[in-house]
Amino acid sequence: MKSKIFLGILALGVIIFSCKSSSTVDKSKKVSIQFESKSGSKVQGNAVFTEKDGVVYLEAKLTGLNPGVHAIHIHEKADCSAGDAASAGGHWNPTFKKHGKWGDAEYHKGDIGNFTSDTDGNATVLFKTDEWCIGCGDATKDILGKGLIVHDKPDDFVSQPSGNAGARVACTAIIQ
């Protein structure tokens, strides 16, 4: 009789152990995408969005840029079909704020900001925020179904509605 009770407890222990081990599953989400050259540019590259513990990280690597400062923004649509990427629409602005610099009093959720390419036209953009999500379904946070655009010029953070950042030289759709 005692051996039957012991086996029952042992079996229960295995079930509990299994439950605990399944709770350590990595809950990160990742989207890897490739840029298309636009507006006659030679800009190429890729971007990776990773979400972990409620924070989304962006890493974009670009080549073929003119040396200097450029803007990068999330746009309304995952549509890069137009030669000038106008098909991606305006900046993603689900909270209906004025255009501005990320973190200031008012800014679009798509207002990532400026970055600098080196003398060879190469650049890496790093950004992180808890104001985005990947596939969460919250229209004010979800970046899936949007476009990521690189501009020829820097964002002035003042001109409405998009910062006077010039031509759209690269485009990619944020899709899985």
Side-chain angles (χ1 to χ4, degrees), residues 66-115:
N66 291 325
V69 182
H70 304 272
I72 186 168
H73 303 115
I74 294 179
H75 284 245
E76 299 169 310
K77 301 173 192 165
D79 182 353
C80 297
S81 61
D84 63 357
S87 51
H91 289 184
W92 178 47
N93 185 17
T95 54
F96 308 102
K97 304 284 185 180
K98 289 182 179 177
H99 172 71
K101 187 174 184 179
W102 188 275
D104 282 355
E106 287 202 53
Y107 56 94
H108 301 157
K109 291 278 180 112
D111 289 341
I112 299 171
N114 293 332
F115 66 94

Side-chain angles (χ1 to χ4, degrees), residues 48-60:
V48 177
F49 288 94
T50 306
E51 181 178 357
K52 188 164 185 165
D53 298 325
V55 176
V56 175
Y57 301 83
L58 164 63
E59 181 175 3

Side-chain angles (χ1 to χ4, degrees), residues 39-171:
S39 302
S41 81
K42 303 255 188 257
V43 178
Q44 301 267 325
N46 63 59
V48 177
F49 288 94
T50 306
E51 181 178 357
K52 188 164 185 165
D53 298 325
V55 176
V56 175
Y57 301 83
L58 164 63
E59 181 175 3
K61 295 184 181 242
L62 299 153
T63 62
L65 293 157
N66 291 325
V69 182
H70 304 272
I72 186 168
H73 303 115
I74 294 179
H75 284 245
E76 299 169 310
K77 301 173 192 165
D79 182 353
C80 297
S81 61
D84 63 357
S87 51
H91 289 184
W92 178 47
N93 185 17
T95 54
F96 308 102
K97 304 284 185 180
K98 289 182 179 177
H99 172 71
K101 187 174 184 179
W102 188 275
D104 282 355
E106 287 202 53
Y107 56 94
H108 301 157
K109 291 278 180 112
D111 289 341
I112 299 171
N114 293 332
F115 66 94
T116 303
S117 63
D118 64 21
T119 56
D120 294 324
N122 302 315
T124 298
V125 178
L126 300 171
F127 188 81
K128 73 177 185 175
T129 181
D130 63 357
E131 294 190 42
W132 298 342
C133 66
I134 299 173
C136 69
D138 180 341
T140 65
K141 293 181 75 170
D142 199 342
I143 61 172
L144 285 183
K146 309 296 181 268
L148 185 60
I149 301 284
V150 175
H151 293 270
D152 187 45
K153 297 179 184 176
D155 188 325
D156 67 12
F157 305 118
V158 177
S159 300
Q160 298 300 321
S162 59
N164 196 31
R168 299 172 184 198
V169 294
C171 180

Side-chain angles (χ1 to χ4, degrees), residues 28-39:
S28 64
K29 298 177 186 177
K30 188 177 196 176
V31 177
S32 298
I33 49 184
Q34 297 292 315
F35 284 99
E36 300 175 36
S37 300
K38 294 295 172 182
S39 302

